[in-house]
């Protein structure tokens, strides 16, 4: 056991030796980074980048940065998926495919970790940052600087994870790194430590965001907007962030203990020494199950906004929606054991968790019916956000029914760790989470940037994703029933899996072309931004407060904080032609100044993480000191805010704040 | 420094109603979950002595009681420092905070001494699952105490330099809550680890 010994710790030249595919990955990533640096230098955009974006405390800008990082990570983890599908399609019999077994393990571990922590969480926090302050009629979040720290910690975790591609290796123990496999004895390289520290850093960022948004929702709402008049998206974020503050401390503890096991030889989860590996599985899922609801609840909220906007109807069953959210919040802590029915907890325990799992499907069902009833007799406009929604309803219901099937312990004993399970949770996460956030991106894009995205390409992308998803994952349900297990890098011809795996591989290509179309969509829309400009501020005939201001929304969102007396205030005002939100005198107000200190804290965290991974004591201490000193300096800052004075002539045009 | 009693009292009221304090309370609840997880780990592992000593053999109840009394007293002095702010008395605020600091530091030194003794006797965290969970639970509490001590030092410097301002008073209000919170956690540690360990539960 080697604890923090020399200046370089465990780092040596072997850490830079990789196989062919890894080298391609490293080269592509370094070249893209180099290209970005050169482009920024050539166009002299460094100052702009630093002062307008990187140091910004405007939640909309932070949100956009979250989304940019998340989209990069979708591309990266999507490439992982492509490699896995290729491997499984060709690695049959005497052919051993394109990657080695140990590399394959790293690929599926990094695919899962990246998709959950850096793609899905990034999209979620991005849209929450953009949406929540606007929807509650607030100028900012409760703690703008903390928000920037959260974002930069997320980036630090992401960078650390991707560093593992170039320096050393990544965990091969799956996205949740079960011990004893993830213990030092069986995973002697630094891979698991990379996993631990990138999650730890990003996870603390998420926890801080959770606190921030709960306080924002509780204390920053516009006048008159009591809780039961909040838009459903805000409710869903409230539920999701409540789960964050309850669940993420468990993750922090669990992976810290795993790290201690690996570093100083404690016996929490070891096979010998009085450790208990099953405790890890319990702890990690006590966080992990709420985590999937953390991801999906805000997506449900976005769908609620979208369905009611594009159906020209008030959301059906508002109160039942709120109750459904809170039922999910509470129940999501009572089902974690269904991830390991086969562990041997006994029939009674399995029975309890099986029943709870079936019960938690009920509030989700309530939400599905509420959305359908909202559409019923509405004047539906099938814009691209609505297409994502329809794809979601179909795929999510299929996945949900498969989930209820898996909730039956005897059935689960057959299907545990099979591709049936993989197909199930991809149905939930891709259609529930990703489709929801793609819909949200299209929906709020004009509010942030001032122009709409190209609708035609958006619709094609949605179709490709939906068709590609079905092609990629319906074969996996069948393969799972045929007995194919997950994380399998090779199989025999006689198993008869190959045709279905090839179909699934084609599905991934279709999804990939959908993703490509989305990139083209954004590029084309940027080029034609004049043509697509949103001059009304209300491109979708919206219902909630954010559409009452001009597009793009100014950094302070609302020159005058609106007053609200009912749900969908803006819509009701439009119907009655009353300009309730119109107010004459605009009082000056304070807005936070930009701060680079979030960047420093993230840089310190990265140094701490990297030092901890490679056992470089000096670097870890330097990182810790940077964090501490930056925090102390921040508390000494006097000029954290400056006054914004808005000309009273500003108030012209439609609605309130235009 | 030219505040009146009413002003400093209203600063405390202002601090208590601020968003920062609500956020701090929520943070404390997440910390509570963190400790709850560590207690759960202790509950699962505390019988896994793996042939090593049990809590009954290792822990000295009078020693833990001494720590408890010191920490409880430090909570009292911490509360008294807030009362001094209400009375707009900077000197007393600093004295009581220094008293809290001293008591907290002696608590921490006692804990380090106990850890050291266990370690050199061969009963370190590598010995068994039980000792791993003991060190992690009690040590995490000790780490929080350390953070509290550093925070006290910074606040004392602030208050000497700037006197009672909204910011410094808010800092003291939060520190006070934090300190009481650590006291509550310690009561649980004392009951679960030391008392129950003493009777061999």
């Amino acid at each position: 056991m080697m604890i923090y010994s020399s200046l370089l710790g465990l780092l040596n030249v072997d850490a830079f030796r990789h196989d062919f595919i890894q080298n391609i990955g490293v080269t592509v990533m370094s070249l893209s980074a180099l290209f970005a640096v050169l482009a920024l230098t050539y166009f002299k955009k460094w100052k702009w980048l630093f002062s307008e974006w990187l140091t910004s405390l405007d939640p909309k800008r932070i949100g956009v940065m979250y989304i940019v990082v998340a989209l990069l990570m979708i591309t990266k983890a999507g490439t992982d998926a492509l490699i896995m599908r290729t491997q499984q399609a060709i690695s049959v019999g005497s052919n051993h495919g394109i990657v080695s077994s140990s590399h394959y393990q790293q690929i599926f571990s990094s695919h899962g970790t990246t998709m959950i922590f850096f793609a899905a969480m990034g999209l979620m926090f991005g849209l929450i940052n953009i949406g929540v302050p606007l929807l509650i009629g607030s100028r900012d979040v409760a703690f703008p600087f903390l928000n920037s720290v959260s974002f930069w910690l997320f980036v630090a975790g992401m960078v650390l994870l991707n560093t593992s591609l170039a320096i050393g290796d990544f965990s091969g123990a799956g996205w949740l790194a079960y011990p004893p496999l993830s213990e030092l004895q069986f995973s002697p390289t630094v891979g698991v430590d990379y996993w631990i520290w990138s999650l730890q850093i990003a996870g603390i960022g998420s926890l801080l965001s959770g606190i921030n948004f709960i306080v924002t929702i509780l204390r920053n709402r516009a006048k008159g907007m009591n809780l039961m008049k909040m838009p459903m998206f805000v409710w869903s974020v409230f539920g999701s962030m409540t789960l964050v503050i309850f669940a993420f401390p468990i993750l922090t503890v669990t992976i810290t203990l795993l790290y201690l096991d690996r570093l100083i030889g404690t016996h929490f989860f070891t096979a010998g020494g009085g450790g208990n590996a099953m405790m890890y599985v319990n702890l990690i899922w006590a966080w992990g199950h709420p985590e999937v609801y953390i991801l999906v609840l805000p997506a449900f909220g976005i769908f609620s906004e979208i369905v009611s906007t594009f159906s020209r109807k008030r959301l059906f069953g508002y109160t039942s929606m709120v109750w459904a959210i809170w039922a999910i919040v509470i129940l999501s802590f009572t089902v974690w054991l269904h991830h390991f029915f086969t562990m041997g907890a006994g029939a009674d325990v399995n029975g309890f968790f099986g029943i709870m799992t079936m019960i938690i499907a009920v509030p989700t069902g309530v939400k599905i019916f509420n959305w359908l009833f909202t559409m019923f007799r509405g004047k539906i406009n099938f814009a691209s956000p609505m297409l994502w929604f329809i794809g979601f309803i179909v795929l999510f219901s299929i996945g949900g029914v498969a989930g209820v099937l898996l909730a039956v312990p005897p059935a689960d004993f057959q299907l545990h760790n099979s591709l049936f399970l993989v197909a199930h949770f991809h149905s939930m996460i891709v259609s529930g989470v990703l489709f929801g956030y793609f819909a949200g991106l299209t929906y709020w894009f004009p509010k942030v940037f001032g122009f709409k995205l190209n609708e035609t390409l958006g619709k094609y992308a949605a179709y490709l994703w939906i068709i590609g998803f079905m092609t990629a994952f319906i074969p996996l349900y069948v393969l799972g029933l045929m007995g194919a297990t997950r994380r399998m890098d090779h199989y025999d011809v006689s198993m008869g899996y190959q045709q279905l795996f090839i179909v699934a591989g084609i599905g991934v290509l279709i999804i990939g072309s959908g993703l490509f179309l989305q990139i083209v969509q954004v590029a084309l829309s940027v080029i034609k931004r004049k043509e697509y400009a949103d001059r009304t501020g209300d491109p979708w005939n919206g219902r909630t407060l954010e559409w009452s201001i001009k597009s793009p929304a100014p950094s302070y969102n609302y020159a005058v904080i609106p007053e609200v007396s009912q749900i969908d205030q803006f819509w009701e005002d439009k119907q009655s032609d009353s300009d309730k939100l119109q107010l004459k005198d605009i009082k000056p107000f304070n807005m936070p100044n930009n701060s680079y200190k979030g960047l420093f804290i993230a840089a310190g965290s990265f140094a701490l993480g990297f030092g901890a991974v490679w056992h470089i004591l000096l670097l870890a201490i330097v990182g810790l000191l940077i964090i501490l000193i930056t925090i102390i300096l921040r508390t000494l800052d006097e000029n954290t805010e400056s006054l914004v004075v808005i000309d009273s002539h500003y108030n012209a045009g439609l609605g309130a704040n235009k | 420094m030219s505040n009146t009693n009413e002003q400093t009292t209203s600063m405390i009221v202002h601090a208590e109603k601020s968003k920062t304090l609500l956020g701090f309370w929520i943070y404390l609840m997440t910390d509570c979950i963190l400790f709850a997880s560590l207690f759960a780990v202790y509950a699962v592992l505390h019988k896994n002595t793996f042939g090593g000593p049990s809590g009954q053999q290792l822990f000295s109840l009078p020693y833990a009681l001494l720590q408890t009394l010191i920490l409880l007293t430090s909570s009292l002095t911490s509360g008294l420092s807030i009362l001094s702010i209400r009375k707009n008395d900077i000197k007393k605020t600093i004295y009581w905070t220094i008293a809290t600091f001293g008591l907290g530091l002696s608590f921490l030194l006692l804990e380090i001494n106990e850890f050291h003794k266990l370690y050199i006797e061969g009963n370190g965290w590598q010995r068994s699952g039980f000792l791993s969970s003991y060190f992690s639970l009690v040590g995490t509490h000790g780490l929080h105490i350390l953070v509290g001590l550093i925070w006290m030092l910074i606040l004392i410097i602030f208050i000497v330099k700037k006197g009672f301002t909204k910011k410094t008073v808010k800092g003291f209000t939060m520190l006070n809550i934090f300190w009481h919170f650590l006291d509550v956690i310690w009561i649980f540690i004392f009951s679960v680890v030391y008392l129950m360990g003493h009777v061999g539960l």
Side-chain angles (χ1 to χ4, degrees), chain A residues 590-597 630-643, chain B residues 157-159 161-168:
Chain A
N590 280 323
M591 289 301 287
N593 294 332
N594 283 4
S595 172
Y596 57 85
K597 294 202 173 74
T630 316
I631 292 172
I632 292 172
L633 286 179
R634 173 69 192 180
T635 59
L636 290 169
D637 272 354
E638 291 291 343
N639 301 316
T640 55
E641 289 185 335
S642 43
L643 202 64
Chain B
I157 297 169
F158 268 33
I159 208 168
K161 280 196 159 178
K162 294 185 185 168
F164 291 131
T165 63
K166 274 186 183 172
K167 219 167 164 177
T168 50

Side-chain angles (χ1 to χ4, degrees), chain A residues 339-419:
Chain A
H339 296 272
F340 44 94
F341 279 141
T342 52
M343 194 172 80
D348 292 344
V349 174
N350 281 358
F352 172 79
F353 282 96
I355 291 165
M356 291 317 285
T357 307
M358 293 172 209
I359 291 176
I360 202 172
V362 175
T364 316
V366 168
K367 294 168 90 58
I368 300 259
F369 281 110
N370 278 341
W371 291 318
L372 294 181
F373 283 127
T374 308
M375 287 169 74
F376 181 63
R377 292 196 171 162
K379 285 184 201 148
I380 303 172
N381 167 15
F382 284 101
S384 58
M386 205 58 188
L387 287 187
W388 289 113
F389 170 74
I390 289 169
F392 151 77
I393 279 284
V394 175
L395 298 176
F396 195 81
S397 301
I398 295 172
V401 171
V404 176
L405 200 83
L406 284 164
V408 183
D412 183 79
F413 271 65
Q414 290 301 312
L415 297 167
H416 183 78
N417 266 357
S418 72
L419 286 177

Side-chain angles (χ1 to χ4, degrees), chain B:
Chain B
M1 321 249 166
S2 53
N3 293 303
T4 63
N5 291 4
E6 287 76 34
Q7 275 170 324
T8 50
T9 307
S10 80
M11 279 178 193
I12 293 182
V13 175
H14 174 267
E16 281 167 354
K17 286 185 176 168
S18 68
K19 285 176 202 168
T20 319
L21 210 77
L22 176 62
F24 192 71
W25 268 112
I26 298 175
Y27 151 72
L28 280 186
M29 295 307 103
T30 66
D31 227 12
C32 211
I33 309 266
L34 187 129
F35 278 110
S37 312
L38 288 168
F39 271 109
V41 169
Y42 184 80
V44 172
L45 293 182
H46 78 289
K47 292 278 179 197
N48 295 8
T49 52
F50 199 63
S54 67
Q56 206 167 9
Q57 291 156 302
L58 288 177
F59 303 142
S60 144
L61 208 50
Y63 195 87
L65 184 66
L66 179 67
Q67 283 182 291
T68 310
L69 291 176
I70 288 175
L71 204 61
L72 285 180
T73 317
S74 81
S75 249
L76 176 70
T77 54
S78 173
L80 287 170
S81 75
I82 295 291
L83 282 183
S84 313
I85 296 178
R86 282 187 187 269
K87 291 197 177 129
N88 189 22
D89 191 336
I90 288 197
K91 264 191 183 163
K92 271 195 180 162
T93 309
I94 294 171
Y95 290 155
W96 285 126
T97 311
I98 290 174
T100 316
F101 181 87
L103 288 164
L105 187 67
S106 25
F107 170 86
L108 196 62
L109 290 174
L110 284 173
E111 188 171 303
I112 291 169
N113 178 48
E114 188 187 14
F115 280 10
H116 180 70
K117 197 167 135 256
L118 285 173
Y119 190 82
I120 54 169
E121 282 169 0
N123 296 319
W125 48 83
Q126 303 103 323
R127 183 67 192 83
S128 64
F130 154 64
L131 280 162
S132 300
S133 64
Y134 164 78
F135 276 100
S136 67
L137 172 60
V138 182
T140 306
H141 180 265
L143 212 59
H144 278 74
I145 294 279
L146 179 67
V147 171
L149 293 179
I150 297 173
W151 195 1
M152 276 174 210
L153 285 183
I154 294 170
L155 277 181
I156 290 172
I157 297 169
F158 268 33
I159 208 168
V160 167
K161 280 196 159 178
K162 294 185 185 168
F164 291 131
T165 63
K166 274 186 183 172
K167 219 167 164 177
T168 50
V169 169
K170 201 188 270 178
F172 271 101
T173 315
M174 289 198 289
L175 175 70
N176 187 46
I177 297 171
F178 183 67
W179 204 251
H180 289 322
F181 168 76
L182 292 184
D183 221 2
V184 173
I185 297 293
W186 178 259
I187 297 297
F188 278 96
I189 292 180
F190 181 67
S191 317
V192 172
V193 177
Y194 294 101
L195 281 180
M196 284 168 71
H198 183 69
V199 294
L201 272 174

